[in-house]
Amino acid sequence: MPPPNNNHFCTCSIIGTGSYVPDRVLTNDDLSKIVDTNDEWITTRTGIKERRIAAEGQATSDMASEAARRALAAAGITAADIDLIIVATVTPDMFFPSTACIVQKKIEAWNAVCFDISAACSGFLYALQTARHYINTGNRKTALIIGAEKLSSLINWKDRNTCVLFGDGAGAVVVQRMDDDAKEAPGRILSAVMGCDGSLTDLLKVPGGASAIPVTPENVDQRLNTIHMEGRETFKHAVTRMCQASEQALSMAGLTAADIKMVIPHQANLRIISAIAERLGIPEERTFVNLQKYGNTSAATIPVALDEANRSGAIQRGDVVLLVAFGGGFTWASTVLVW
Ligand code: UT7
């Protein structure tokens, strides 16, 4: 039986999950008509079969708000109960105001303070841990944590190295402080770690479109406002850091890999997920994978997968669940919870 909490935190639980993906499906075969690629290459190198693409005019906040409404319904609370909204995204609606402020308006959560977090694919777990700190101080009680991305807005559709990898979507959780006597509350977070290595910023980035390289016609012609990635290097760091972060969070929780019922990893590449499972000694059937349907949706992968795992019954009350992410920065993070 895992300890209720050994991390000097109050008991803080996920009480509802929700997700949203756009209707439009873009298959590998569709992509093979746009760039020099094929289903066989994408499937064997990544595991991805299709991804969702937001409708014209559909912004990150639209997807985030729908995921949020579903999480609120699952938690059985109203938007008025929320006192903190954090949106993790690298594809905000605009530079400012934050996407979290726009979500507040759309779902009418008027009692919340709102801000965004930029930690790329680790963003959701960064946001979850940030909310946990706010809740732990007593400053906030009920937080809405959203990972939402419209990566189709950052894709260079002429670059086969990257355009096949990404998709759009949003996932959300409601996190709440539990009463002092609720040490065994379902959904409780046992431990969390976060890390960053800013010396490797150049390996995965969108170089242009902001203050360093502002938007000009020339910069747009050179596609500087789209995703650039050194895939192989990123792959290696992802495996190493996700394993380390997993082991640290497990150790902090007083657990080992043998205690894990389900790993819900960032969904970037099936080969990365398999490598992590193998190194940690976790059977593949205990890893949750949905990237074949959605590709890499950055900050949204973990909350979308968590919601699907929850609703499908792949995770059950009492299961120890490990969440682990890696992304641009480089950033990484891991969280252990008891469902
Ligand atoms: O979410 C944040 C973290 N992101 C990640 O963790 C992603 C990490 N990286 C990866 O997942 C993989 O590195 C990729 C899937 C991006 C690439 O797979 P890879 O096995 O590392 O392939 P590669 O980049 O080394 O390319 C191998 C070959 C190259 O051809 P040559 O030079 O060997 O002739 C590429 O030009 O595959 C070619 N290639 C493609 N061929 C068909 C690259 N993309 C494609 C494509 N279709 N879409």
Side-chain angles (χ1 to χ4, degrees), residues 293-304:
K293 296 188 289 182
Y294 307 130
N296 181 348
T297 56
S298 190
T301 65
I302 289 181
V304 169

Side-chain angles (χ1 to χ4, degrees), residues 36-38 41-42 45-46 121 160-161 164-166 204 229 231-232 234-235 238 266 268-269 271-272 296 326-328:
D36 179 16
T37 189
N38 55 72
W41 191 96
I42 302 171
R45 297 292 180 118
T46 72
C121 306
R160 69 174 184 174
N161 291 294
V164 302
L165 303 174
F166 301 103
L204 177 52
M229 179 168 72
R232 277 192 193 180
T234 303
F235 188 111
H266 172 50
N269 188 316
R271 290 185 292 136
I272 294 178
N296 181 348
F326 178 85

Side-chain angles (χ1 to χ4, degrees), residues 16-37:
T17 65
S19 61
Y20 169 85
V21 291
D23 293 335
R24 186 178 158 209
V25 175
L26 188 69
T27 66
N28 291 347
D29 286 337
D30 294 334
L31 278 166
S32 71
K33 293 173 190 124
I34 305 173
V35 285
D36 179 16
T37 189

